[in-house]
Amino acid sequence: NVRIETFRMERMQCLYEHEVEYNLSESGVQPMTLEELLGGEEALRAFLSTEIGYPQSNGSLALREGIASFYPGADPDNVTVVNGGSEANFITLWTLLEHGDRLTCMIPNYMQAWGLGRHYGAGTDTFRLRVRQENGRGRWSLDVAELERAVTTDTRVILVTNPNNPTGSVLSEAEMDAVVAVAKRARAWLVADEIYRGAELDRSLTPSFWGRYDKLVVTSGLSKAFGLPGLRIGWVVAPQRLIEKLWIHHDYTTLTPGALSERLASLALNPLRRDAILGRTRAILRRNLPVLEEWIHSHGELFDYVPPAAGAIALVKYDLPIRSTALIDRIRKDQSVLLVPGEQLGLGKYLRFGYGSDVGFMLKGLARIDDTLARIR
């Protein structure tokens, strides 16, 4: 029997994110409203006429065309639509991993894949992003030697998250080439979780892994870069033969996307509308990050911080005599503020701050954290 362990971060957020006064554990930007997304009375009237029936289970042609347009060289037959990026990863690893197979997973990370490799395969091996100094500045970079050691003859799948959660780092072209080269040597599947692609701060759109390798899967969705988490729309982009297998597995889980979500996702992924939505996301990130950085730097040597290149999350190393889970529990109980501890991301004394919410809201939450930090110091 497969024994599924508790997904600690998701359980923590489920229990507390709606109880605390200041949820700074959120990993996306302030969600769009239905009014913002529809953009006018005519669109609203058309949406209200939507029949709430079963949509096409793999996503309508219009939606799959919109998704495919986000990946150069992809077409609708390379796409299947599921319920959120989490289901995209779940169905992909359920399909690819068999008894005796091993998953090799990037760390730090959103630990869903790490757990699924332990449940559907023989286990999970890891390779790390590490902070290195480049041109006088810290950068999270790929430990290629560790990746090469972690991939063995038993490795069936290599998983990367790019842009990365929780570091906000983006792999360089050389690092992407190194990942592909290792996958090719092992003839392993490469799964690239690209759900933060489009949420860059000071650069153009992050290059996709799509098209760089024949055994390549991209998972993504509308939750992070698009600011539409409540739609629960995710997708997989892969070779057509694998898409057919994934669709079979999807028939045993949630069957179809929701009718209203499917309709709204088709609107959001129209290329012109998509660019505007991603522009909104980048504007929020560029406005909010300097505010968080000022707070971080105000604490002197307490924090060690490498700025993110993408995403609405900032990872901060701290110097206090307390483990990260105990620290965030204390902050939650004393100050009604929720953060994510490094221990739930494959790290130690780190905290993950979400900075994509309203600036005033974020500042009030940060001010409360100051009190607990001062007491511990």
Side-chain angles (χ1 to χ4, degrees):
N1 292 331
V2 175
R3 184 175 65 86
I4 301 294
E5 298 168 319
T6 301
F7 193 162
R8 291 191 298 154
M9 191 188 84
E10 286 298 336
R11 180 57 54 88
M12 178 199 74
Q13 288 187 295
C14 177
L15 288 173
Y16 303 121
E17 66 183 347
H18 296 293
E19 290 189 0
V20 296
E21 293 180 51
Y22 296 94
N23 177 23
L24 301 184
S25 73
E26 178 54 57
S27 55
V29 296
Q30 187 75 25
M32 296 185 73
T33 65
L34 187 57
E35 184 177 26
E36 282 181 287
L37 179 57
L38 289 171
E41 287 293 327
E42 184 177 346
L44 175 59
R45 286 195 298 272
F47 176 67
L48 291 176
S49 69
T50 303
E51 290 188 355
I52 309 175
Y54 287 114
Q56 186 170 326
S57 63
N58 65 330
S60 68
L61 178 60
L63 177 52
R64 288 182 290 118
E65 285 177 339
I67 293 167
S69 71
F70 201 37
Y71 302 93
D75 62 48
D77 289 336
N78 294 122
V79 178
T80 193
V81 179
V82 295
N83 283 271
S86 57
E87 189 177 47
N89 288 328
F90 176 86
I91 290 178
T92 297
L93 295 179
W94 177 27
T95 303
L96 292 179
L97 290 171
E98 299 178 358
H99 180 71
D101 294 336
R102 298 190 70 83
L103 169 74
T104 300
C105 181
M106 175 186 281
I107 297 292
N109 217 321
Y110 177 70
M111 298 296 278
Q112 179 195 20
W114 178 86
L116 291 174
R118 292 155 57 86
H119 305 320
Y120 285 121
T124 299
D125 304 302
T126 60
F127 61 97
R128 290 190 174 272
L129 297 174
R130 300 184 187 276
V131 178
R132 294 193 173 97
Q133 295 298 314
E134 294 183 5
N135 301 318
R137 300 179 62 184
R139 176 182 178 271
W140 287 94
S141 59
L142 177 67
D143 189 329
V144 177
E146 189 172 41
L147 168 62
E148 291 174 339
R149 290 193 298 270
V151 175
T152 70
T153 55
D154 294 325
T155 302
R156 170 74 167 170
V157 179
I158 301 168
L159 184 135
V160 299
T161 302
N162 189 53
N164 178 254
N165 174 2
T167 67
S169 62
V170 175
L171 294 174
S172 67
E173 286 285 346
E175 289 171 329
M176 295 175 76
D177 289 343
V179 171
V180 172
V182 172
K184 284 182 176 178
R185 282 199 297 271
R187 290 307 295 162
W189 281 93
L190 175 56
V191 178
D193 181 339
E194 297 183 352
I195 201 162
Y196 284 96
R197 180 171 177 255
E200 298 79 14
L201 281 128
D202 296 315
R203 56 174 291 156
S204 58
L205 185 66
T206 299
S208 175
F209 271 94
W210 179 252
R212 296 169 186 258
Y213 178 42
D214 59 333
K215 298 179 71 174
L216 191 285
V217 180
V218 172
T219 62
S220 192
L222 294 179
S223 297
K224 306 305 179 187
F226 286 83
L228 296 166
L231 294 187
R232 307 308 304 137
I233 290 289
W235 57 82
V236 182
V237 186
Q240 188 174 349
R241 288 183 64 183
L242 180 60
I243 288 293
E244 292 169 359
K245 294 179 180 179
L246 297 171
W247 193 359
I248 291 171
H249 282 79
H250 189 208
D251 287 342
Y252 283 90
T253 57
T254 57
L255 297 179
T256 78
L260 301 182
S261 293
E262 219 269 0
R263 179 75 176 268
L264 294 169
S266 297
L267 174 64
L269 283 156
N270 176 282
L272 289 177
R273 191 76 181 96
R274 178 188 73 207
D275 292 347
I277 291 171
L278 296 181
R280 169 190 181 270
T281 294
R282 293 185 178 116
I284 292 172
L285 301 180
R286 290 167 182 160
R287 180 181 68 239
N288 291 14
L289 183 58
V291 177
L292 175 61
E293 289 181 329
E294 183 177 356
W295 180 85
I296 291 170
H297 296 318
S298 73
H299 291 82
E301 296 184 357
L302 173 61
F303 293 132
D304 188 5
Y305 159 74
V306 176
I313 44 182
L315 188 66
V316 179
K317 188 176 184 180
Y318 66 88
D319 183 16
L320 290 171
I322 183 172
R323 293 180 62 170
S324 60
T325 300
L327 177 55
I328 69 104
D329 284 345
R330 183 162 171 180
I331 291 171
R332 174 179 56 80
K333 292 173 183 176
D334 293 351
Q335 308 299 341
S336 196
V337 179
L338 187 63
L339 302 171
V340 176
E343 289 171 319
Q344 294 179 358
L345 300 162
L347 292 167
K349 288 187 174 183
Y350 282 85
L351 300 174
R352 194 189 77 181
F353 292 80
Y355 67 91
S357 61
D358 174 78
V359 169
F361 176 88
M362 178 176 68
L363 281 172
K364 289 177 182 177
L366 294 174
R368 290 198 179 189
I369 295 171
D370 282 335
D371 183 60
T372 296
L373 295 177
R375 292 183 185 187
I376 294 173
R377 294 180 81 178

